[in-house]
Amino acid sequence: MKLPTDHSNPHVRRLFSFWAPTQSTMRGWAMASVVVNAGITVTGAGVRVTASGLGCPTWPQCTPDSFIPVAHPEVDPLNMAVEFGNRLLTFLVLAVGVACVLSAWRMVPRRRSLVRLALLQPAGILFQALWGGLVVSTMLNPLTVGVHYLASSALIAACWMLYARAGEGDAPVRRVAHRDVRRLGHVLLAAVFALLVAGVVVSGTGPHSGDEMASRFDLDIETVARLHADIAYVVAGLTFALLFALHVTKSARPARRAALGLFVVVLLQGVIGYTQWFLAVPAVLVLLHVVGSTLVWIGALRAVTSLRTRDPEPAPAGRSPAEAAAAV
């Protein structure tokens, strides 16, 4: 019987590669999970800036008597379509997550580290789906909305780690940069996460709440925006320091490229942030700023993981690599 993985069309083989995975296809599915989780994070922000947060006013149904959009006197059809479309994207994210789990499970030899990382995806997606119901039931409370965004960032981190680990072995971590440079990378990653949290506070204080009935944090918007900007300066400084340190120590080229890419994205994000502030926070620039924040987070993860690697685990003494693989 001919399997999809034996199909003559390369696109079909690629689509079903999770059934007969290689290291390359495993990394491909992991990268796909990074992309779709980043995508649904951005579309979630699109729901907010189009005031479609309660386009489907109930959960898990879209309306009290239907799982799909139907005419409702109190909800604009466009808002309903935007919110329902974002909910549908969850199934795409779940499908890619399941493909990652199957790929990790069917890898030969099977690597427990990849299986564990892959399993974080369906678990995280289930949490996000249930938390989304809480977001709706609390009428877009800024705290629940903020946790929703940060949980997406955590999922992106898990997906990125799966991508990075799929390209490595399972031997102990080996540094490819000086120990202190790697520590600087960890500090930078923590600063970027703090920047995301501050951004959540700004979003929960300012306009574009997702619906006119949504509550806001009782904070001064100028104060929290300045705090957010101050943390952004710290991130930019740490990124430049990392880039400079990697060049001075003549570290591996992938690490230097990753740091340079992050520095460029951070600068562009700063330009977008100041522009949206001086233009009274237009919705389009808010959405673009969320795209930028997602890219900054991914860039920081890439920069940190580029500072270390793992070699293939050595075969047990007295056995050939082929024998060791067959025994797993």
Side-chain angles (χ1 to χ4, degrees), residues 34 37 40 79 95 124 152 210 258 269 284 300 316:
V34 173
N37 277 281
I40 200 169
N79 293 148
S152 290
Q269 179 72 334
V284 173

Side-chain angles (χ1 to χ4, degrees), residues 18 35 44 58 77 111 158 160 181 212 216 231 233 254-255 296 299 307-308 316-317:
F18 57 80
V35 172
T58 61
R111 296 172 54 190
W160 180 266
V181 175
E212 60 183 13
R216 303 274 77 199
I231 299 175
Y233 280 124
V296 167
L307 302 176
R308 28 72 72 213

Side-chain angles (χ1 to χ4, degrees), residues 206-253:
H208 308 297
S209 62
D211 191 271
E212 60 183 13
M213 293 187 293
S215 60
R216 303 274 77 199
F217 288 130
D218 187 19
L219 300 169
D220 178 64
I221 183 61
E222 186 170 346
T223 299
V224 293
R226 286 184 182 278
L227 175 63
H228 183 54
D230 289 343
I231 299 175
Y233 280 124
V234 172
V235 168
L238 289 172
T239 305
F240 179 78
L242 178 63
L243 179 61
F244 182 76
L246 288 171
H247 277 276
V248 168
T249 57
K250 301 186 186 304
S251 298
R253 182 175 295 178

